[in-house]
Structure formats: C-alpha cells, structure tokens
Amino acid sequence: MARYTLQRLIYMIITLFIIATATFFLMKLLPGSPLQNQEKLSPEQQKIILEKYGLNDPVPVQYVRYLGNLVKGDLGVSFQYDNRPVTQLIGDRIGPSAQLGFQALVFGTIVGILLGVIAAVRHNTAVDYGATVLAVLGISIPSFVFGGLLQYYIGVKLKLLPVAFWDGFEYTIMPTLALSVFVIASIARFMRTEMLEVLGSDYILTARAKGISGFGVIFKHGLRNAMIPIITILGPMAVNLMTGTLVIEQIFAVPGLGEQFVRSINLNDYPVIMGTTIFYSALFIFVIFIVDVLYGLIDPRIRLAGGKK
Amino acid sequence: MKKKLSIFFVLLLVASMVLAACGGNKAEEPKPSDEGKQETPAKEQVLNLLETSEIPSLDSTLATDAVSFRVMNNVFEGLYRLDENNQPTPGMAESYEVSEDGKVYTFKLRDAKWSNGDAVTANDFVYAWRKALDPNTGAEYAYIMYDIKNAEEVNTGKVPVDQLGVKAIDDKTLQVELKNPIPYFLSLLSFPTFYPQNEKFVKEQGDKYGLEANTTIYNGPFVLSEWKHEQSFQLKKNEQYWDAQTVKLETINFNIVKDVATGVNLYETNKADRVGLSAEFVDKYSSDKNFKTKSEPVLFFIRMNQKNEVLKNVNARKAIAMGFDKEAMVATILNNGSKAANYFVPEGFVTGPNGKDFREENGDLVTFNAEEAKKYWEQAKKELGKDKVTLELLNYDSESAKKIGEFLKEQLETNLPGLTVNIKQQPFKQKLDLESKMQYELSFAGWGPDYQDPMTFIDMFVTNGAHNQTGWSNAEYDKLVKDAKTTLLSDLQARWDAMVKAEKILLDEAVIAPMYQRGAAYLEREYVKGIVDHPFGPDNSYKWAYIE
C-alpha cells in the first residue's frame, strides 16, 4: 500500500505539472492584457505597467519564473484585486463553497440513493415512474431556474427562509437544495440501474433463499455492490460542488470561489487563473486517488497494485 | 400503496434530519434583529446597500474600478471633494492660493486626523502622489496626474520621483506645480489617485496595506469597520473626521450581490434600501413610487474605421450616423433612463465659464433622419461605384450589447439599401485589442470622463491619439485641441469655444455615430435621502445622506 501510494503520488505531481504547463501557455494565448483600465491606457502606458509585473518578458521566461515561485508555494498576487496574494484569495472563499458543496453532496447522495433503491425495488410501478420523472426533471431543469424559483417563492413570497446572504445555517438551506437537485437526480438514476442489475444476480437469490429479510438483502447485500459506480461519480462531483458553483453562488450571494475562475479568465488575471486551476486540479487528482482506495474497501474483489498474486 | 409511500416519506424525513444535524450548531446562532426595522425604518441612521463585487483595492494609488472608488470616496478624502452640486469643495485643504500664471498652487491644509490619530500632513500627499507615479508601483491611473510638472517623466522613468512638482513646504502647506494651468485642477483633485497616504503606516503594513479593514487608516467621513471578503463590508461614521457634524449616517452595511434579480428580491424583503435595475425589471417597476432613473456622462457610439474604403467616404459615414432610430433604441431596448445622443460630450456633465452646460452651446449635431441618410448613402454608393456594401460591426458580448447590435443591423439595413451588416461579438478584452489594432470596420464603443472638462472626450480624436482608433485626421481639429490645452488656457471662454467648435467638426465629419448617453434605473426607499451621484471618478457620496 505504501509503495502504491508513493507511486501514485509521483504520478499525481507529474499530472499537476502537465496541467500547470498547458494552462500557462494556453492562458498566454488569451487576447488583451491583465490591465483593468486597458481601455483608457495608451500602448506606452500599458508597457510601463506590464514591465513592473515582468509581463514584457518572453513567455518561456515568465513560465520558468512562475514554476520557480510555484515550487516555493508562491502563487503570486492578483491583478484584479490589486496585489492580494492568490493563496489568500482562494483561502477566503473556499470555506463557504466547500460547506455548501458538502451539504449538497450529503443530502443529495442520501436522497438520491433512497430514490434509486425505491425505484429499483418497486420496479415498473407508479413509484418507479415517479422517481424516474423526478430524476429527469432534476437533470434537465437548470439550477439557476430552480434556485430562482426557490428564492422567489420561499424567500420573497412565503418569507420562510432568507432570500440571500451568508449568515448562518438557515442561509445555506436554499442554495443547498438548489445544488443538490442535480446530485439527487444523477445518483437516483445510477442507483436504480445498478440496483436492478444487482438484485437480479445469483447471490441475492441465495441470500433470499437463506431467508434473510427483504430489507437486509437490499441494504446489506444489494446496496454495497450497487455503490461502485456511485463512488466513481461521487468523487468528481464532490470536487465540482465543493469548489463552488458560479450560478448558485451568485443567486444566493454566497461568498464562494465559484465566480473567480470565470472572472479571472475574463479579466486576464493570470495569477488567479493559474492558482484556481492548480488548486482545482490538485483537489481533483487527490479525490480520484481517494476513490481508487475506496473501491478496495467497498468491493474486496478490486485490489490495488501490489496486492498478493 | 399507502404504506409504501409513507415509508418513502419517513426515509426522506430521516435524510433531512441527518443533514440538519450536520450544521446544527450554526442553526442556533441568533438572527440579526431586524424585525423592528422592517416596520419603522426611519429613526436609526443605518443604510443598507448592495455592492456588485468585492472591493478590489483600498490602495488609492492602485485602484481602478467603480467599487473601490465608491468605497474610497467615503473613507478617504483628498484636498478637495465634489459637493452635492458636483463642485469642488475643500476637503483636507482649507484654502489655496494660485500663482498668476495659474501653474503653482499652494494649499493650506486644515487640522485633520487619520483614524489612528496621526495628523494628515502635506507629506502624506507628496508620498502618495510620488508612489502613484513611481513606475515600480504600476499604477494604472498614473496618467491622470500627468498635468503635474514632471509627472509623465517620472512615470516613464526618465527622471527620479523626487523631481515631481509637488513639495511639502511645511506640515500644513503643500505646493503643487503644474505643467499647464488647467482650469479643472481643483475638481481633478477629488479623484482617488490624488488621495493622501500616511507614509509611516503604509510602510509598517507593507504588502498588507489596503487589504484588510484594520491594515488601512482613514481620513474620510466614514471608516471601514468590517470587511468580510466577497461577502460584506461595513462603514461607520468617522468620529475623527473634521466635518463629522455634517455626517448623519452612523452605519452603512454593504452586502455583495452580483445578481440583479437577487438584489430586487432583497429590496422586496427590506434587506436593501437601494438597488440597481436591469432593463427586464424596468417595466415591472417603472410605475413604482420608488423607481428612479439617473443620467450618467458616459457616451456610447459607433466607431468607424477609415482604413476601410467605404468608411473613408464621408457621405457613407454620415448616412450611418443618421441612419438609425436612437429614440427607439433607448425606449425599447435600453429602457433605463438612457438618452438618445445627438452629440459627443454628454449632457449635464460640465458647465462652461459662462455657466452654460456644454450641450446648451452645441445642441443636437446629428439626429436620426432616414430620408437624409438614404440620400447620403446613395451619394456614397455612387462615389464608390458600389451597389452592395457589407460592413462588420464589432460588438461586446454582453446580453444588452447583443440586442443593440441586432437593432443597429436591422435599422441600418432597412434605411440604407444595399448595406449588409454582419455582427461580430467578442469578449471585452479581445474587442479592445481588435479596436486598438484597428482590425474592425464598425465598432460599438463607449467612453466615460476622467476629469470634469469636455477635453476628456474631445482629445480622443486628435491625429494618432491612442484612443482615436479610426484613422481620422483633421488639422483644424488638432489645432483647436492643442490651443485649448496650451495658449487658450489664459482665456477660458475662448478655450471653451474652441472645444465647442471641435465637437462640431467631429460630428460634421461623422467620425463617429453617437448612439446614446447611458442612464441607470434603480429603486430607492423613500426614507433614504441625500445620496449624491457624481459625474466622474467615484459615483457616490454618502457624506450628506441620511434616513428620514
């Protein structure tokens, strides 16, 4: 296991390096400069300012300098938030995004699994169709529509929950719900398909024959085996949700990371583009690693490298 | 069936309880007590506002954006600030004397304090201005100071910063030497780049200066008392402020809300006292008693690239400038208080030495007239020997710009037979790039003022000006601008007349096709009084605002 982890770690660093390099050069293809006031500045004035940030140097020089700083853990300072360190920028915003994403993930997964299992167990009944319709709706309704509707009816009309802002648990309920719709729908669909397959397999028949109760069969024998594909999609989904979502965070005025990536690309804020990309990729790669480890725990048939032959 | 359903609901309930338990400790936090306020908003001097983004910077030398400027204008103060009538009024300065040639200003500073108790001194200005112009600072608004002697030379690294024409005679006396005796210098001093900075404090904070509420000190009507990044910030009345007795508001709460619909919902639930509206909300609220619009001195127009053979033809340009219905454009598409512009220098922006608004002098210079436009167009086609013409319109990629682009296309193609307009939408930065390289034919462009003088618009179109970007060149125009910037500074009425004449030439030659002067629609609760809107630099002052 230790050897496997080390090996994976090396691969992870190489992957990250490739991502950083590709992003850096692609980013430099973006038209325009990172100057905020570009509209008003003459080319000479722009040059003076870019000189200060070393942006008049050839791209390879900039690249080597960036990598040098990166190794030291220095992601540079933002252009749009004049001279604010990128690490602090991400640090300030990741909390709310992660909390929201986590809540949506937990809630969505639980509800999704339940819906999927029920639909599978009551295959081809009204319950199944109901759950399927719900899942299709959940996947096809854009989250901003659902978020907007929630905000208007529950926040403005019924005044049950605060319309927006970030000031305690009740402020997280609507954005969590809005975010979790997609999670519920995706997981329910996967769960139903997988559960149907599992419930049809021989060992379930055996378990039933042994006289284990219906509930036990489904949750102890069925669920565990049906979880494999769920784990696969849960990893990337967790990263997606917990690094912030543009639309939901904007609708509910959540002080998260969601907007930063798109915004920094629009504004050519190079250090923030790089910083968020590296952060996101690192998290992603790490989660994939965790997922691989989890496979083994859930299904002992899947062995990690280094297992005894 | 019933039983099955109930099992389902039980499970759902369990799931939601599990989730509720996850964040349980936070749920018990007491809610901010705003119940009373919703019913009787008057007494408390607390204003609740929304801001469109996180504050990018509180370092006056670095800031470039509207949000930073708005905050800084209320927590800092320069030598002068704009008053309720947008005239410069003494801030940190108490009085000034100016030399006969109008080039040397000597300011007497009043006894004012920073929020840490330090006195505001002349050196605070010298330090901040040198810092802004130092090429190592990389200040994007450094050019706004180029009227100061040696400012440009300092900024381009030709002379050291101590050669800048700004001197602290003593703690309370500041002398500023100008390159040219510009008549709008006092109002220019209200611009954020001219704010002072306390050298000792700034150096103590190092990289952290301006990044947090407590790593910044203030000398304005308010202090920044709390700053939760990306979430909210709060201004409190500055008791140390020299004119604290004028300031009535105790607290201004800002929450960062980027979505217009969310802003409206917050206004509806009394969480925000003032909220900006986009066009789609205007119809819903235009009859509301709290609905207001304001006009801003920002002008949108079509740039026409004269490297293009069709657009080199003055009749073709005139045809385009007259060939679309501006009134219909502002009424049906913008619908937010924007006005059709038959001019280039905005209305209500600046008054001349004779007290008249620039627009009263020059009136309408280019109005929509389909018939005239068609005549010019036919003439142009004859001169060019063409029957069909295709032009590309470079456009921003925002929703509203898209609608305007489509409107222009439809109008121009209808009114000018044989013309085809293709629209090319580009991201903002790319659009600017293409424009500055003159790789476009027609372009949807905009311009806002940097200082309170028509020159901030007029000098754009001098030959080879960085923002001309049309290839147009006119010796008479260049001379008028040059004179207005030099010899005519001693005769302000003649200078004013020169600019009036220049604008006429610009639009007679149809260098650009003015479209509209920007407006903004918003809702403001009736108990909010005295928020002042400014035409350049920072948009608002809360110094005179109060709750009734």
Side-chain angles (χ1 to χ4, degrees), chain A:
Chain A
M1 186 68 192
R3 203 179 133 210
Y4 173 75
T5 309
L6 187 73
Q7 200 182 2
R8 279 296 294 260
L9 206 67
I10 292 167
Y11 282 133
M12 278 153 75
I13 289 170
I14 294 173
T15 315
L16 207 57
F17 168 78
I18 294 171
I19 292 172
T21 306
T23 313
F24 191 90
F25 287 100
L26 283 174
M27 175 179 85
K28 290 291 171 186
L29 294 178
L30 286 172
S33 76
L35 301 179
Q36 305 298 296
N37 203 19
Q38 193 186 341
E39 234 179 338
K40 296 266 182 172
L41 295 170
S42 68
E44 298 77 42
Q45 287 159 345
Q46 296 192 24
K47 221 175 135 198
I48 297 171
I49 300 163
L50 294 179
E51 185 64 40
K52 192 224 155 180
Y53 294 101
L55 291 173
N56 290 333
D57 298 335
V59 174
V61 174
Q62 295 181 35
Y63 170 69
V64 171
R65 187 166 51 219
Y66 186 82
L67 278 193
N69 289 334
L70 187 62
V71 171
K72 283 183 266 168
D74 178 6
L75 291 174
V77 295
S78 163
F79 283 101
Q80 53 174 321
Y81 302 105
D82 304 298
N83 293 353
R84 191 177 292 280
V86 174
T87 39
Q88 190 200 348
L89 200 112
I90 295 174
D92 280 343
R93 288 163 178 75
I94 188 63
S97 289
Q99 186 189 343
L100 216 56
F102 181 73
Q103 286 181 194
L105 193 72
V106 173
F107 180 71
T109 310
I110 294 172
V111 176
I113 289 177
L114 287 177
L115 271 183
V117 169
I118 291 164
V121 174
R122 300 290 166 233
H123 186 43
N124 285 344
T125 65
V127 182
D128 181 20
Y129 299 141
T132 311
V133 168
L134 226 65
V136 172
L137 281 180
I139 286 185
S140 32
I141 296 179
S143 59
F144 70 89
V145 173
F146 190 65
L149 289 174
L150 272 183
Q151 185 180 62
Y152 187 69
Y153 285 102
I154 297 185
V156 179
K157 288 282 149 190
L158 299 174
K159 298 196 171 34
L160 289 177
L161 287 167
V163 167
F165 301 157
W166 189 254
D167 233 356
F169 181 69
E170 79 247 45
Y171 290 83
T172 69
I173 297 174
M174 282 204 285
T176 301
L177 281 179
L179 266 185
S180 61
V181 172
F182 183 78
V183 183
I184 294 174
S186 329
I187 294 205
R189 259 184 356 164
F190 270 101
M191 201 62 211
R192 176 179 174 277
T193 319
E194 207 54 33
M195 201 65 181
L196 277 178
E197 202 182 309
V198 171
L199 289 182
S201 39
D202 293 345
Y203 65 87
I204 294 289
L205 205 63
T206 315
R208 283 196 205 279
K210 283 203 302 193
I212 299 174
S213 69
F215 194 81
V217 171
I218 291 164
F219 283 94
K220 196 148 169 265
H221 299 267
L223 192 59
R224 187 162 160 171
N225 286 295
M227 281 300 278
I228 298 290
I230 303 288
I231 298 287
T232 315
I233 60 164
L234 266 186
M237 204 185 250
V239 177
N240 270 327
L241 287 171
M242 291 171 69
T243 49
T245 45
L246 178 75
V247 175
I248 295 297
E249 287 184 2
Q250 290 215 351
I251 290 179
F252 294 100
V254 176
L257 194 59
E259 191 205 20
Q260 290 313 315
F261 193 50
V262 178
R263 192 182 158 96
S264 61
I265 292 174
N266 282 332
L267 296 175
N268 282 354
D269 192 346
Y270 302 137
V272 179
I273 299 178
M274 287 306 293
T276 41
T277 306
I278 289 171
F279 175 73
Y280 185 90
S281 320
L283 212 62
F284 206 89
I285 294 168
F286 179 71
V287 164
I288 290 174
F289 170 68
I290 297 292
V291 166
D292 286 352
V293 174
L294 278 183
Y295 281 152
L297 294 180
I298 288 178
D299 188 345
R301 284 173 303 185
I302 302 173
R303 276 279 161 246
L304 301 176
K308 292 188 186 72
K309 301 250 160 79

